[in-house]
Amino acid sequence: MKSPLETAACAVNVGILRAASLFVPAGQRMEWRSEWRGELWQARSQTSSRFSWAQECEIAGFCLGAFSDAFCLRRIDRHVSAVQASQSRSLPLRAFSVESAWQCLLFMVALAGASYGLARILPGVRAERSLPEVPVRSGLVLIENANNEDSPPTISSGQFEAWKERKQEFFDGFAFYRVTRERVNVGPVSQGWGVASASSNFFAMMGLPVRFRQTDASTDADLPRVVLSEDVWKREFGADPHVAGSVVRVGLRRATIAGVAPVSPWQLPGKVDAWLIEPDSREAEKGSGYVVAHLTPSGKSKMDAERIRITSYSPHRSPDDLLGIKINSATRGPWDAFLFAVLLAFLALPAITSISFGEESVSLHEVSWARRFFRAAFLVAKIALLLPLLHFASLDISYGFFPFNVNEALYIQLVVTFFGCLFGMSWVLNDQRRRCPVCLRRVAHPARVGQLSRTFLAWNGTEMMCMGGHTLLHVPSLPTSWFGSQRWMFLDPSWKFLFAGPVRD
């Protein structure tokens, strides 16, 4: 007769098995309980007749192992059910694996949405995207001394005045500016800016409108006017569209902000943070600077190159050798920089990755037209999501987080877009090559096959399989003339049970 302690231990063991059976699928629960009760009886029959705590702890540990078996059986049942459900779908749905392919696309959509959201939130990116494309006036020429090219300004204000007063054959207008370093007080903060003191006709000569110009009459109409550059407007004033009319101190003088100079492709010498428009009566007080001239129709006919030599004849002076440099009028902005970088990346792509998709097959199985369509559509969708993702991400990095000037931001956008597109397209192609042509799942479980010493006798490399049981992917370790790229091997449909997990009778 069993002792009370032994009876209580048996009841605990049976309770453990019943608790574990709750995790077993309902259709297999009764059979599972019978098997484990038989195993428990067998374990107790091999113990001694005397009660021992060591024996009972060992039997209890054996019973606790039933939980691991129950969990494993449930996972197998779920996997088999999922495979059977996917095989019962219609052909188009089975051809397009909803889980893996959609997860990839949704991940890219989330990244593109995050970068677009940052572009809408960051003030610098918002201001850059809202800028109008303003080309400069055609027929503009920068005049500088031919013997001092790329040097500090060499055209004196007196020479500029003489050109204005004389009748010109090839020019019908001149504008003058001189860049100096000035202390500018914006509120309580004093900073050093590059201030260009320009003639009153400078912006009219360039054909550039002033953005956010104040339309009402100002009480400080007698003060000099300051036109801010785009970089200073974003950095110091937070891209405030109501900045016109504010008063700043430039050096020892007070000046009123007249507006913001639009971003334009013209690249004039000198780093200018603000343009100080002064009356023409003060031009004689200026030192040497730069001159911008506009060509007449006869002058345009003579300007057949980007640079041209100009000789100026002044009374009672020797001829001056000057150089006229054409100012390009084609607009170059963030969108043009993005397209240029994408073009360069596509040209450089074959240098870092193969553009072949490895569609060769070692079996006679043919992929249906529906499956091929979904595979091509998946590739096009990835590329279509990659490009806007890179566009907004490059804008966020170039204009959103750091106070770069326009030129620096364009260079940074070029670099970010080029490398992002280059490695992004490389990932797209590699991902496409690793997806099953039937269900678009990524192949997994790489296994080493063959030996390097038998490269020219039998293939060796890496073998990966589709978890849907459709294909095997063979990737050679050393490409040869007869096995130069990866190959797909389509499995016989009767083999699919090998990938569906254990099958119970």
Side-chain angles (χ1 to χ4, degrees), residues 126-149:
R126 268 200 333 241
E128 186 64 34
R129 293 181 63 224
S130 63
L131 293 178
E133 294 186 355
V134 182
V136 297
R137 186 182 179 188
S138 62
L140 293 177
V141 177
L142 175 68
I143 301 177
E144 60 182 28
N145 196 307
N147 300 322
N148 296 277
E149 187 178 348

Side-chain angles (χ1 to χ4, degrees), residues 156-214:
S156 65
S157 57
Q159 193 170 14
F160 166 69
E161 290 290 340
W163 288 346
K164 283 177 52 179
E165 295 174 357
R166 290 165 50 192
K167 183 179 179 180
Q168 301 289 335
E169 180 182 359
F170 302 115
F171 303 104
D172 57 8
F174 296 92
F176 182 87
Y177 76 96
R178 173 174 175 264
V179 182
T180 57
R181 195 70 179 174
E182 300 281 354
R183 299 299 299 181
V184 179
N185 292 75
V186 180
V189 182
S190 177
Q191 298 179 356
W193 288 7
V195 178
S197 300
S199 57
S200 59
N201 66 334
F202 178 80
F203 283 93
M205 176 69 65
M206 297 294 296
L208 293 173
V210 178
R211 302 173 62 234
F212 310 115
R213 186 191 296 271
Q214 194 176 26

Side-chain angles (χ1 to χ4, degrees), residues 181 192-195 227-229 231-232 235 271-275:
R181 195 70 179 174
W193 288 7
V195 178
V227 178
L228 304 176
S229 67
D231 298 328
V232 169
R235 186 177 67 246
K271 186 179 184 305
V272 179
D273 295 317
W275 301 86

Side-chain angles (χ1 to χ4, degrees), residues 299-450:
K300 292 180 181 179
S301 63
K302 297 290 184 180
M303 192 78 182
D304 55 356
E306 294 293 327
R307 295 169 179 260
I308 189 172
R309 293 278 178 169
I310 301 174
T311 303
S312 174
Y313 295 94
S314 301
H316 311 294
R317 292 183 59 183
S318 60
D320 294 327
D321 291 329
L322 305 173
L323 183 67
I325 304 174
K326 183 184 294 186
I327 300 177
N328 295 324
S329 60
T331 302
R332 295 293 182 267
W335 177 247
D336 297 316
F338 172 76
L339 294 180
F340 179 68
V342 168
L343 176 62
L344 290 181
F346 274 93
L347 293 177
L349 183 61
I352 67 169
T353 186
S354 173
I355 59 176
S356 172
F357 293 109
E359 299 295 341
E360 297 184 9
S361 173
V362 294
S363 64
L364 299 178
H365 183 85
E366 290 291 337
V367 182
S368 65
W369 65 268
R371 300 171 194 258
R372 296 190 185 198
F373 170 78
F374 283 120
R375 182 173 170 83
F378 180 60
L379 174 63
V380 172
K382 286 191 292 186
I383 298 176
L385 288 173
L386 177 66
L387 294 180
L389 166 63
L390 291 176
H391 176 61
F392 292 114
S394 63
L395 289 178
D396 295 337
I397 296 174
S398 303
Y399 300 95
F401 298 102
F402 304 101
F404 298 119
N405 59 46
V406 175
N407 293 332
E408 292 173 345
L410 284 177
Y411 287 133
I412 292 174
Q413 185 188 13
L414 277 172
V415 173
V416 171
T417 304
F418 173 76
F419 285 104
C421 185
L422 185 64
F423 292 106
M425 283 300 302
S426 176
W427 171 82
V428 167
L429 296 179
N430 290 329
D431 179 77
Q432 191 75 8
R433 282 193 288 267
R434 293 294 187 268
R435 290 192 176 269
C436 173
V438 179
C439 64
L440 292 184
R441 291 188 180 97
R442 280 186 65 91
V443 291
H445 301 293
R448 182 72 185 176
V449 179

